[in-house]
Amino acid sequence: MRIPNLPESFTSKHAAKGWPLGLAGVALIIIGSFLSWSYDDQILGDLSLNFYPGGLQILAIIGAVIGLLLLLTAKGPLESRIGPWLDAALGLRALGLWMLIYMVLVLVAITTDSDGLINVNPGGWVSFVGALLLFLGARVVPLREHRDLAAARAPGWAEVLAIAVVMAGVLFGAAYALGRDDAWSFVLFLVFAAGVIAMMVRTGILTWFGHVAQRQKKILTLSAFLVAFLFPFTQNGSDANMSIATQVLVFAATAMGLNIVVGLAGLLDLGYIAFLGSGAYVAATMSQSAFATIGWKPPFLVVVLLGASVAAVLGLIIGSPTLRVSGDYLAIVTLGFGEIFRFSMFNLDGNNGPNLTNGPNGVPGIPDLEIGSFNFGATHTIAGIDLGRFSNYYFLLLILIGGVILVFARLNDSRIGRGWVAIREDEKAAEAMGVNVFGLKLLAFSVGAFLAGLAGTIKAHQDGAVSPDQYVFLESAFLLAAIVLGGMGTIAGVLLGATILKLLPEKLRFFSEYRLLLFGLLLVLMMRFRPEGLVASRRRQLEFHEEDEELAVAIEHELVEEAK
């Protein structure tokens, strides 16, 4: 989010006031954060104590410290060392704006939760005034010419340290966000995180980190999986938070499969949830549940392969006759397939057809997995931390999503992946160049379905029950939204989009029926201001911003760096 710049004549006239105003704002934010913000100690994690900052007050202090560093870089001791590389003034403007939004929302939250603005204590007003002064001061801090930070090269150990710091921030940020019990605290954390990210974008730090990530791909990948592995140890055995985390991983693994179909091959599939459901039903009907309808009880590894294979066969069955059409017609056909699958699960109840699924009752009472002597339903203690059943499934899903990412990355970089991209860009041109269009489309459908079936077999045991109403069209729409929101054809984008789409509705239950309205509004704004997605591929960025010459030059520079 940004607001128009002030006229240059006004900025130059009041430039001398920007630095002292900013310093005063930083000081007031910190002072106010050590004072009580709220009279009511039952809201927002208790902000009613003096000289004992709560979680939201600590976030304000962190934001103020970042603002202080930017001020010292714009005009101060750090100006000669970091100033030539860092666009500190633009970063300060972004941070000042978001800190003001943060404090305004804090006052709104206190007013809403405690029934009156009178319940805001003096510390809240002091920090609000500080945020306002920081915002005003940042608006008149003069902009300076600076070098391209993306071209800056740091020693290898410094780049590894930067990755470690960012990954540690992600770990603690995720732990803090999931630990918020009320929606307002969660929303305020998101606003603070958005402010920090906006600051990093405007200063050029995020661009520099992107180049570091390209140079240190292996270390970044290992760090990301290490953070994901350590996450359950930050939750103090909370089954509620780990339940959300496992849902996110199932959703992300399924979305990664759909990303092959939509993101790489460009085939609009609106019935993809059926492939997840087919894998889940295979696992349920072969489980040890008293309601299972198939007498054969093979080991789980066999069930996983069977569930994924059944989903892949369904992908071939639906793909063979329908991939002759494209665009809107393909979307309608796949939507129909999703509904056919759901109604088929209703009708396979012994009355309208063979008794395979128990009809609308589904298959309840699915027991927890047991692989060898390891029971996924039991609590295990590691390093003094209790890990419950959801933590156990989390680790299993983490292994699954690692395999899914590996498959996606290898396919994307292969000749097959390039063929899919060619089909997505121009099917007729790809066919004219000798690409087997129909075969590659069919392969995309079957591989995507196979990955969804894998996730479905684990989901059945994690949920403990399977029923047809779990696999409605809205779930397919959410999967598609995760890909578009995160960035089509990318790995990090889909993971981020899936996390947002699963996490936000769960944590915003406080807003009751308005949460989907707010959520939809966020999606609309996202599609308006960043249609290429949060973590877009360079190709899609150029498609949506063809007129941006600076972006084209930056991408050309990145390609040269990668070639080296």
Side-chain angles (χ1 to χ4, degrees), residues 145-222:
E145 293 290 333
H146 62 94
R147 303 173 191 173
D148 183 9
L149 185 61
R153 288 263 185 173
W157 64 266
E159 294 185 346
V160 172
L161 179 62
I163 291 174
V165 170
V166 170
M167 290 295 106
V170 170
L171 176 61
F172 288 108
Y176 180 86
L178 274 179
R180 301 309 92 202
D181 295 328
D182 64 290
W184 270 117
S185 295
F186 180 74
V187 169
L188 288 167
F189 172 77
L190 291 184
V191 171
F192 173 80
V196 173
I197 293 172
M199 178 274 300
M200 294 176 67
V201 170
R202 300 289 277 167
T203 55
I205 294 175
L206 204 60
T207 303
W208 175 78
F209 185 78
H211 287 275
V212 170
Q214 287 291 331
R215 292 192 289 267
Q216 306 286 349
K217 279 185 178 180
K218 292 182 179 179
I219 293 177
L220 180 65
T221 303
L222 290 175

Side-chain angles (χ1 to χ4, degrees), residues 171 174-181 226-251 376 378-380 385-398 458 462-463 502-503 506-507:
L171 176 61
Y176 180 86
L178 274 179
R180 301 309 92 202
D181 295 328
L226 178 61
V227 165
F229 176 81
L230 293 175
F231 175 74
F233 296 93
T234 66
Q235 297 304 304
N236 297 320
S238 170
D239 274 346
N241 290 342
M242 290 312 302
S243 172
I244 296 174
T246 53
Q247 292 177 39
V248 168
L249 287 186
V250 170
F251 193 73
F376 281 78
T379 299
H380 301 84
I385 299 175
D386 292 334
L387 300 176
R389 70 180 298 270
F390 288 109
S391 297
N392 299 330
Y393 283 107
Y394 175 88
F395 289 122
L396 179 61
L397 287 165
L398 199 58
I458 300 177
Q462 175 204 311
D463 292 345
K502 264 299 178 187
L503 187 60
E506 290 292 334
K507 301 301 289 188

Side-chain angles (χ1 to χ4, degrees), residues 307-358:
S309 299
V310 168
V313 170
L314 285 178
L316 291 174
I317 292 174
I318 185 62
S320 297
T322 60
L323 288 180
R324 302 291 182 183
V325 298
S326 60
D328 300 339
Y329 302 101
L330 178 62
I332 293 172
V333 170
T334 54
L335 172 61
F337 167 68
E339 291 302 296
I340 289 171
F341 170 82
R342 187 166 65 89
F343 284 109
S344 296
M345 296 303 101
F346 272 115
N347 291 326
L348 295 178
D349 58 355
N351 295 320
N352 302 303
N355 186 19
L356 290 177
T357 65
N358 294 323

Side-chain angles (χ1 to χ4, degrees), residues 29 59-60 63-64 94-104 131 134 192:
I29 291 174
L59 292 181
L95 183 69
L97 173 62
W98 282 97
M99 285 301 296
L100 181 59
I101 294 173
Y102 178 82
M103 287 309 307
V104 168
L134 178 62
F192 173 80

